[in-house]
Amino acid sequence: MHCCCCCRYRALNVQAGCHFCDGGFEGEIAAGRLSGRSLDKFTCVALAGVVTEYLRYGQAEGGVGDVAQLDGLLRALQFTQKKADGQIRWAVLNVAALLRRHVSLHDRLAAAMDRGASVGECIQLIEQQLAKEPEALAPSSVVSSGSISSTVEASSGMDSDR
């Protein structure tokens, strides 16, 4: 049984978005130092919804808040426009590759969410599917942007090329 957002929530404008819950990431931000790996993960997560929407429907209407949050972080890290564009370009390509590689899992996950599965059930679905695909868990399955130094400082004393 399919239930649209309007029926389920009695509203036409359901707010979607991304909240990055990662203790290590939050600790790095609080300390004023952000690793390139953490920035890469955050960038991919922030853009995943927009990339998904574009791949599925040929256009992306949502994700404005996620992109604004990412833009704010890159500005706070004093990235130049060229550096920010490169980080975003890399993340879009990486997310698109991951989504294409796991399209059947993505479809199953969407169906589970549509029928009201809990977060725990969704995580279990992902873990079970990835356990069947050992290459998906290999370290080389996620590519680093390579354009980020190992640590960027989130303070006024940052490198000028960011």
Side-chain angles (χ1 to χ4, degrees), residues 46-160:
L47 296 173
V50 172
V51 174
T52 299
E53 195 174 343
Y54 184 81
L55 290 176
R56 293 283 174 151
Y57 307 110
Q59 63 183 15
E61 296 178 6
V64 174
D66 297 334
V67 172
Q69 183 181 25
L70 175 59
D71 185 53
L73 177 62
L74 295 176
R75 274 189 279 116
L77 293 171
Q78 299 178 356
F79 272 43
T80 63
Q81 189 62 51
K82 182 178 178 181
K83 188 91 165 165
D85 290 349
Q87 178 71 20
I88 290 168
R89 190 176 301 111
W90 166 83
V92 166
L93 293 172
N94 196 49
V95 169
L98 287 168
L99 288 168
R100 286 182 176 131
R101 184 175 356 166
H102 299 290
V103 69
S104 64
L105 172 57
H106 191 248
D107 291 341
R108 291 179 58 211
L109 185 58
M113 293 169 119
D114 191 44
R115 69 173 181 271
S118 69
V119 172
E121 291 170 314
C122 291
I123 291 170
Q124 184 177 21
L125 175 69
I126 293 166
E127 289 175 345
Q128 288 172 346
Q129 182 66 37
L130 292 180
K132 295 176 189 175
E133 305 171 22
E135 70 281 353
L137 300 176
S140 62
S141 67
V142 177
V143 180
S144 172
S145 69
S147 64
I148 308 299
S149 65
S150 62
T151 303
V152 289
E153 301 224 6
S155 69
S156 59
M158 294 179 53
D159 296 348
S160 60

